PDB file of all heavy atoms in Angstrom:
ATOM      1  N   GLU A 829      74.187-117.824  40.874  1.00  0.00           N
ATOM      2  CA  GLU A 829      75.622-117.959  40.373  1.00  0.00           C
ATOM      3  C   GLU A 829      75.780-117.371  39.034  1.00  0.00           C
ATOM      4  O   GLU A 829      74.815-117.501  38.168  1.00  0.00           O
ATOM      5  CB  GLU A 829      75.964-119.453  40.310  1.00  0.00           C
ATOM      6  CG  GLU A 829      76.113-120.165  41.640  1.00  0.00           C
ATOM      7  CD  GLU A 829      77.228-119.603  42.500  1.00  0.00           C
ATOM      8  OE1 GLU A 829      78.177-119.108  41.946  1.00  0.00           O
ATOM      9  OE2 GLU A 829      77.050-119.695  43.711  1.00  0.00           O
ATOM     10  N   PRO A 830      76.916-116.615  38.733  1.00  0.00           N
ATOM     11  CA  PRO A 830      77.119-116.081  37.455  1.00  0.00           C
ATOM     12  C   PRO A 830      77.136-117.154  36.316  1.00  0.00           C
ATOM     13  O   PRO A 830      77.625-118.221  36.598  1.00  0.00           O
ATOM     14  CB  PRO A 830      78.467-115.308  37.509  1.00  0.00           C
ATOM     15  CG  PRO A 830      78.676-115.141  38.994  1.00  0.00           C
ATOM     16  CD  PRO A 830      78.046-116.300  39.709  1.00  0.00           C
ATOM     17  N   VAL A 831      76.794-116.796  35.195  1.00  0.00           N
ATOM     18  CA  VAL A 831      76.765-117.792  34.016  1.00  0.00           C
ATOM     19  C   VAL A 831      77.873-117.424  33.099  1.00  0.00           C
ATOM     20  O   VAL A 831      78.014-116.169  32.704  1.00  0.00           O
ATOM     21  CB  VAL A 831      75.388-117.740  33.336  1.00  0.00           C
ATOM     22  CG1 VAL A 831      75.368-118.671  32.165  1.00  0.00           C
ATOM     23  CG2 VAL A 831      74.279-118.131  34.373  1.00  0.00           C
ATOM     24  N   GLU A 832      78.645-118.380  32.671  1.00  0.00           N
ATOM     25  CA  GLU A 832      79.751-118.131  31.810  1.00  0.00           C
ATOM     26  C   GLU A 832      79.116-117.620  30.447  1.00  0.00           C
ATOM     27  O   GLU A 832      78.171-118.182  29.959  1.00  0.00           O
ATOM     28  CB  GLU A 832      80.542-119.414  31.424  1.00  0.00           C
ATOM     29  CG  GLU A 832      81.422-119.867  32.651  1.00  0.00           C
ATOM     30  CD  GLU A 832      82.593-118.883  32.839  1.00  0.00           C
ATOM     31  OE1 GLU A 832      83.024-118.258  31.784  1.00  0.00           O
ATOM     32  OE2 GLU A 832      83.065-118.767  34.010  1.00  0.00           O
ATOM     33  N   PRO A 833      79.761-116.529  29.915  1.00  0.00           N
ATOM     34  CA  PRO A 833      79.200-116.001  28.703  1.00  0.00           C
ATOM     35  C   PRO A 833      79.546-116.946  27.482  1.00  0.00           C
ATOM     36  O   PRO A 833      80.553-117.566  27.509  1.00  0.00           O
ATOM     37  CB  PRO A 833      79.975-114.642  28.527  1.00  0.00           C
ATOM     38  CG  PRO A 833      81.176-114.804  29.272  1.00  0.00           C
ATOM     39  CD  PRO A 833      80.952-115.696  30.434  1.00  0.00           C
ATOM     40  N   ALA A 834      78.664-116.914  26.583  1.00  0.00           N
ATOM     41  CA  ALA A 834      78.843-117.758  25.431  1.00  0.00           C
ATOM     42  C   ALA A 834      79.944-117.150  24.640  1.00  0.00           C
ATOM     43  O   ALA A 834      80.189-115.952  24.663  1.00  0.00           O
ATOM     44  CB  ALA A 834      77.511-117.897  24.644  1.00  0.00           C
ATOM     45  N   GLY A 835      80.714-118.000  23.740  1.00  0.00           N
ATOM     46  CA  GLY A 835      81.798-117.445  22.915  1.00  0.00           C
ATOM     47  C   GLY A 835      81.261-116.475  21.884  1.00  0.00           C
ATOM     48  O   GLY A 835      80.148-116.576  21.399  1.00  0.00           O
ATOM     49  N   TYR A 836      82.160-115.470  21.660  1.00  0.00           N
ATOM     50  CA  TYR A 836      81.605-114.477  20.635  1.00  0.00           C
ATOM     51  C   TYR A 836      82.860-114.268  19.599  1.00  0.00           C
ATOM     52  O   TYR A 836      84.001-114.135  19.976  1.00  0.00           O
ATOM     53  CB  TYR A 836      81.376-113.160  21.398  1.00  0.00           C
ATOM     54  CG  TYR A 836      81.138-111.947  20.401  1.00  0.00           C
ATOM     55  CD1 TYR A 836      79.895-111.932  19.738  1.00  0.00           C
ATOM     56  CD2 TYR A 836      82.039-110.972  20.260  1.00  0.00           C
ATOM     57  CE1 TYR A 836      79.688-110.867  18.827  1.00  0.00           C
ATOM     58  CE2 TYR A 836      81.798-109.870  19.312  1.00  0.00           C
ATOM     59  CZ  TYR A 836      80.582-109.887  18.666  1.00  0.00           C
ATOM     60  OH  TYR A 836      80.301-108.843  17.777  1.00  0.00           O
ATOM     61  N   ASP A 837      82.340-114.375  18.263  1.00  0.00           N
ATOM     62  CA  ASP A 837      83.304-114.225  17.245  1.00  0.00           C
ATOM     63  C   ASP A 837      83.314-112.689  16.766  1.00  0.00           C
ATOM     64  O   ASP A 837      82.422-112.255  16.208  1.00  0.00           O
ATOM     65  CB  ASP A 837      82.987-115.141  16.129  1.00  0.00           C
ATOM     66  CG  ASP A 837      83.977-115.055  14.941  1.00  0.00           C
ATOM     67  OD1 ASP A 837      85.001-114.391  15.095  1.00  0.00           O
ATOM     68  OD2 ASP A 837      83.645-115.612  13.874  1.00  0.00           O
ATOM     69  N   PRO A 838      84.380-111.976  17.153  1.00  0.00           N
ATOM     70  CA  PRO A 838      84.360-110.537  16.702  1.00  0.00           C
ATOM     71  C   PRO A 838      84.353-110.385  15.228  1.00  0.00           C
ATOM     72  O   PRO A 838      83.958-109.345  14.739  1.00  0.00           O
ATOM     73  CB  PRO A 838      85.680-110.036  17.368  1.00  0.00           C
ATOM     74  CG  PRO A 838      86.539-111.217  17.614  1.00  0.00           C
ATOM     75  CD  PRO A 838      85.605-112.363  17.869  1.00  0.00           C
ATOM     76  N   ASN A 839      84.686-111.453  14.560  1.00  0.00           N
ATOM     77  CA  ASN A 839      84.722-111.375  12.962  1.00  0.00           C
ATOM     78  C   ASN A 839      83.230-111.228  12.564  1.00  0.00           C
ATOM     79  O   ASN A 839      83.027-110.835  11.355  1.00  0.00           O
ATOM     80  CB  ASN A 839      85.397-112.499  12.433  1.00  0.00           C
ATOM     81  CG  ASN A 839      86.925-112.504  12.697  1.00  0.00           C
ATOM     82  OD1 ASN A 839      87.538-111.390  12.616  1.00  0.00           O
ATOM     83  ND2 ASN A 839      87.402-113.653  13.089  1.00  0.00           N
ATOM     84  N   SER A 840      82.298-111.590  13.401  1.00  0.00           N
ATOM     85  CA  SER A 840      80.904-111.530  12.885  1.00  0.00           C
ATOM     86  C   SER A 840      80.300-110.095  13.110  1.00  0.00           C
ATOM     87  O   SER A 840      79.110-109.892  12.712  1.00  0.00           O
ATOM     88  CB  SER A 840      80.076-112.592  13.723  1.00  0.00           C
ATOM     89  OG  SER A 840      79.975-112.144  15.070  1.00  0.00           O
ATOM     90  N   PHE A 841      81.053-109.213  13.750  1.00  0.00           N
ATOM     91  CA  PHE A 841      80.539-107.919  14.164  1.00  0.00           C
ATOM     92  C   PHE A 841      80.149-107.144  12.828  1.00  0.00           C
ATOM     93  O   PHE A 841      80.958-107.027  11.910  1.00  0.00           O
ATOM     94  CB  PHE A 841      81.506-107.154  14.931  1.00  0.00           C
ATOM     95  CG  PHE A 841      81.042-105.773  15.254  1.00  0.00           C
ATOM     96  CD1 PHE A 841      80.008-105.507  16.218  1.00  0.00           C
ATOM     97  CD2 PHE A 841      81.639-104.711  14.636  1.00  0.00           C
ATOM     98  CE1 PHE A 841      79.662-104.285  16.475  1.00  0.00           C
ATOM     99  CE2 PHE A 841      81.230-103.373  14.977  1.00  0.00           C
ATOM    100  CZ  PHE A 841      80.299-103.176  15.867  1.00  0.00           C
ATOM    101  N   ASP A 842      78.963-106.663  12.865  1.00  0.00           N
ATOM    102  CA  ASP A 842      78.440-105.780  11.696  1.00  0.00           C
ATOM    103  C   ASP A 842      77.721-104.669  12.407  1.00  0.00           C
ATOM    104  O   ASP A 842      76.625-104.916  13.002  1.00  0.00           O
ATOM    105  CB  ASP A 842      77.585-106.523  10.706  1.00  0.00           C
ATOM    106  CG  ASP A 842      77.165-105.571   9.567  1.00  0.00           C
ATOM    107  OD1 ASP A 842      77.391-104.338   9.636  1.00  0.00           O
ATOM    108  OD2 ASP A 842      76.511-106.146   8.697  1.00  0.00           O
TER     109      ASP A 842
END
Side-chain angles (χ1 to χ4, degrees):
E829 295 292 333
V831 178
E832 288 292 331
Y836 174 71
D837 182 7
N839 292 315
S840 67
F841 177 74
D842 181 354

